[in-house]
Amino acid sequence: PLGEDERDDFQQHFANLSWTRALGVDEAVQASAYTIWANGDYDVRIAPDLHNFRLASRVTGAVATWSTRRGAFDVDVGVHANTYHRHHSQAIRPNLDELVYRNTGRKREQSAFVKGAVSLGDLTVFGDVQIRHPEFEYVPDVHSGVTERSIAWTFVNPKGGITWEISRGVTLYGSYGSNGREPTRNDMFAGFDNVDTTNDTLVGPLSRVRPERVYDTEVGVRWRATALSANVNLFDMRFRNEITPVGELSYIGLPVRKNVRSSYRRGVEADITWQPHTRLVTTFNATLSRNRIAEYTDDATEQTYRDVEPLLTPRVLINHAIDWE
């Protein structure tokens, strides 16, 4: 929460150019180029001074896809690449022209995917795989006393599954997939906004927080009638090296996160839609889950906790709506 003397002010702009060409009834190519730029600043009271943190960023990229249908087969192929940079600086009010530091983070990413599905009557088998390679480079302040550093990751993210229309209006499905993600800059910097000789040892290497991977198994059923439809889904998400908040905030109020070796989310999701009248639609969805961390050691106290519930993962989520047209 901001204090009475703290403020923030940000703006963001988007530009996008897209091109699509049909190569026939069942084949098409698409391409898009985009750029997003944003800047702003926010204040944090670090007694006794009011510190002002500024951010200025830009991301530019392009994505291209090709899709085709050949009889019972559907295939989609795509590539994506972008480059991103963000300047970080700090000053102390009211002397905003006298910077305490200025550093830059740069990130480049390339990825490619292929998706396929084959229809076998009432049965559809599908699968996809993505290969993703992000790279991060840190350019420190010229007076920081530390050198530039960089790190890169490569993720292979597969998924496969099956759907079966067992009767008109009733479909069963199941899938299994795995996905990885890298830590954020805030994770790698242990909550600091600038790395110099005063905290370089504490921050350590950029690999201090390891990449996270989740393995997800889901099965469910979809049922549809004239005025009522429902979808019930069971899920089992098992994490390795999950990047999770640990309850600590950095000096500028950002959540500090670290790896936990093993954790899971298991539960059931339900979506129900009922239309009792042509102008009235009611929707209801809920998630019931059990979420656990196998083991976590607190850095400050060195106390180890086992079989505990993670932060920000409620056991029950319920949403409902009534729409009148």
Side-chain angles (χ1 to χ4, degrees), residues 168-215:
R168 185 174 182 180
V170 180
T171 301
L172 301 178
Y173 63 87
S175 68
Y176 177 81
S178 174
N179 194 71
R181 67 165 177 165
E182 70 276 17
T184 67
R185 169 186 163 125
N186 190 58
D187 298 329
M188 292 185 285
F189 288 4
F192 290 100
D193 191 58
N194 185 63
V195 179
D196 56 25
T197 54
T198 65
N199 59 16
D200 187 29
T201 302
L202 177 62
V203 171
L206 295 179
S207 57
R208 66 182 306 273
V209 177
R210 298 182 298 279
E212 169 190 288
R213 179 153 289 274
V214 60
Y215 305 88

Side-chain angles (χ1 to χ4, degrees), residues 40 58 104-105 123 128 134 207 251 271 274 306:
R58 187 167 194 136
T104 301
L123 207 63
D128 64 68
S207 57
Y251 71 107
D271 293 277
W274 180 42
R306 293 180 175 87

Side-chain angles (χ1 to χ4, degrees), residues 183-304:
T184 67
R185 169 186 163 125
N186 190 58
D187 298 329
M188 292 185 285
F189 288 4
F192 290 100
D193 191 58
N194 185 63
V195 179
D196 56 25
T197 54
T198 65
N199 59 16
D200 187 29
T201 302
L202 177 62
V203 171
L206 295 179
S207 57
R208 66 182 306 273
V209 177
R210 298 182 298 279
E212 169 190 288
R213 179 153 289 274
V214 60
Y215 305 88
D216 180 36
T217 303
E218 302 194 16
V219 294
V221 57
R222 288 190 291 266
W223 175 78
R224 179 178 296 276
T226 303
L228 186 66
S229 64
N231 184 18
V232 179
N233 185 70
L234 300 174
F235 63 91
D236 177 18
M237 302 172 67
R238 293 174 293 113
F239 292 82
R240 291 295 177 268
N241 295 320
E242 181 184 2
I243 303 171
T244 185
V246 295
E248 180 184 352
L249 297 179
S250 72
Y251 71 107
I252 54 177
L254 298 176
V256 174
R257 306 192 302 176
K258 64 177 290 186
N259 293 113
V260 292
R261 182 180 56 82
S262 178
S263 57
Y264 67 81
R265 313 278 192 274
R266 293 170 183 157
V268 58
E269 302 166 305
D271 293 277
I272 300 173
T273 300
W274 180 42
Q275 188 171 5
H277 187 273
T278 54
R279 294 189 176 185
L280 180 65
V281 178
T282 64
T283 57
F284 170 87
N285 64 71
T287 301
L288 307 177
S289 63
R290 175 175 171 82
N291 317 300
R292 310 302 288 178
I293 292 174
E295 184 177 289
Y296 161 67
T297 300
D298 182 70
D299 291 334
T301 64
E302 296 186 353
Q303 183 175 352
T304 297

Side-chain angles (χ1 to χ4, degrees), residues 8-27:
D8 63 49
D9 181 22
F10 282 87
Q11 58 180 323
Q12 191 170 26
H13 306 271
F14 305 83
N16 182 71
L17 180 65
S18 298
W19 173 81
T20 303
R21 180 174 177 83
L23 304 178
V25 177
D26 298 317
E27 187 174 3

